[in-house]
Amino acid sequence: MAGLIALALLLTAGCNPTDEELATRIADGIKAAVKNSDVPVGDLNPLYRGVWPSVFYVDPGDRQHGTGWLLEPGLIVTVAHLVEGRRQVIVRQATAPTFVADVVGSDHLRDVALLRYDPAQAALDPRAMPLPMGNATIDDIAKDLLALGYSGSGVKRLGTVGSPKANAGILSQITNFGAASYGRNLEMDAAIDPGDSGGPVLNRQGEVVGMVRAAARHSADGGLVVGTFYAVHADEIRTAIASIESGEQ
Ligand SMILES: *[C@@H]1O[C@H](CO)[C@@H](O)[C@H](O)[C@H]1NC(C)=O
């Protein structure tokens, strides 16, 4: 961006501004651009830095990995399709040691699964805090969302995976697939990819309002879809967790 502004200024500036003049004009140009923009620059960064240690790489071992997040000490939430048929999964952290978690249960319709680990055995990153849950309604459409996930990430030496990726967007719509399907979902334009599934979708207050589930690929008439991504709605996550916990023997 600075390069483009510099070029534009050079073309209109007339003869030979000093480097100092040029630097001042470029700085003023950027300030004006930011001031006139409705999108504040970089302000999801404090949120990201507060929550990333609570986001985990969930490794089912026999298929594409996904993501999970800390609900409370001992409990991690992820998507059901990631852990289907598994009784245990490997949980990898950005920089802290790997641990094993049991699959407590899954709500397949809502695509929510609950994992349990022993807090006395697992050495979590000390900055990992349970993520509070929030809500999203149609009044929140066009508000910012931050999705975190481990798409495209690989396992490093010692089994760590580095910090998760940040994908920002807005709440595009809330859609209801019906009780016999995925229930209520957030539609968002935060671009998510394989590996991000199960990642938390946060509002600006740092509350989990959804969980990354899927990307739309084709419209009803077969056209290519590139900007529609689905997340399990917070209410469906709450309902699923309650039903998994109550069904536990
Ligand atoms: C979330 O918002 C919806 C829509 O307003 C509402 O029906 C639901 O009860 C809310 N959930 C919670 C937990 O407050």
Side-chain angles (χ1 to χ4, degrees):
M1 180 175 166
L4 282 179
I5 290 171
L7 186 61
L9 287 170
L10 279 174
L11 292 173
T12 55
C15 51
N16 304 333
T18 65
D19 284 355
E20 204 175 326
E21 281 168 352
L22 198 54
T24 309
R25 285 188 215 168
I26 292 169
D28 288 350
I30 292 172
K31 264 188 227 155
V34 171
K35 204 170 157 195
N36 291 335
S37 160
D38 290 329
V39 183
V41 173
D43 61 357
L44 288 171
N45 172 264
L47 172 59
Y48 174 81
R49 288 194 295 168
V51 299
W52 70 259
S54 308
V55 180
F56 307 104
Y57 177 115
V58 178
D59 192 347
D62 59 349
R63 69 193 77 150
Q64 166 73 49
H65 72 267
T67 303
W69 46 278
L70 192 62
L71 177 69
E72 56 185 70
L75 289 178
I76 290 171
V77 185
T78 188
V79 279
H81 71 261
L82 180 66
V83 299
E84 198 167 348
R86 307 289 302 167
R87 298 171 74 170
Q88 287 192 320
V89 291
I90 295 167
V91 180
R92 300 184 188 278
Q93 304 191 73
T95 57
T98 295
F99 57 94
V100 172
D102 296 324
V103 179
V104 180
S106 294
D107 181 326
H108 293 285
L109 283 180
R110 295 185 175 85
D111 206 354
V112 176
L114 195 58
L115 311 177
R116 174 173 288 131
Y117 66 90
D118 180 354
Q121 298 293 321
L124 255 60
D125 185 313
R127 294 164 295 180
M129 298 293 160
L131 298 180
M133 290 203 60
N135 203 1
T137 74
I138 53 168
D139 292 334
D140 297 311
I141 289 175
K143 285 189 187 168
D144 291 331
L145 294 177
L146 177 65
L148 271 65
Y150 276 104
S151 60
S153 301
V155 180
K156 301 182 197 317
R157 275 178 61 232
L158 307 174
T160 56
V161 288
S163 51
K165 291 186 185 178
N167 298 300
I170 55 164
L171 177 62
S172 306
Q173 187 54 274
I174 295 177
T175 187
N176 196 340
F177 289 101
S181 185
Y182 292 107
R184 264 188 299 158
N185 273 224
L186 310 183
E187 263 183 53
M188 57 180 189
D189 68 344
I192 48 103
D193 287 304
D196 287 326
S197 289
V201 178
L202 302 149
N203 63 15
R204 226 172 229 289
Q205 289 70 49
E207 297 163 335
V208 177
V209 295
M211 175 166 61
V212 173
R213 189 176 69 77
R217 298 281 183 219
H218 297 283
S219 61
D221 64 2
L224 187 64
V225 174
V226 294
T228 304
F229 304 92
Y230 296 113
V232 186
H233 189 283
D235 278 339
E236 305 286 6
I237 299 174
R238 274 186 278 267
T239 306
I241 290 171
S243 88
I244 292 167
E245 286 185 325
S246 72
E248 228 188 311
Q249 300 305 313

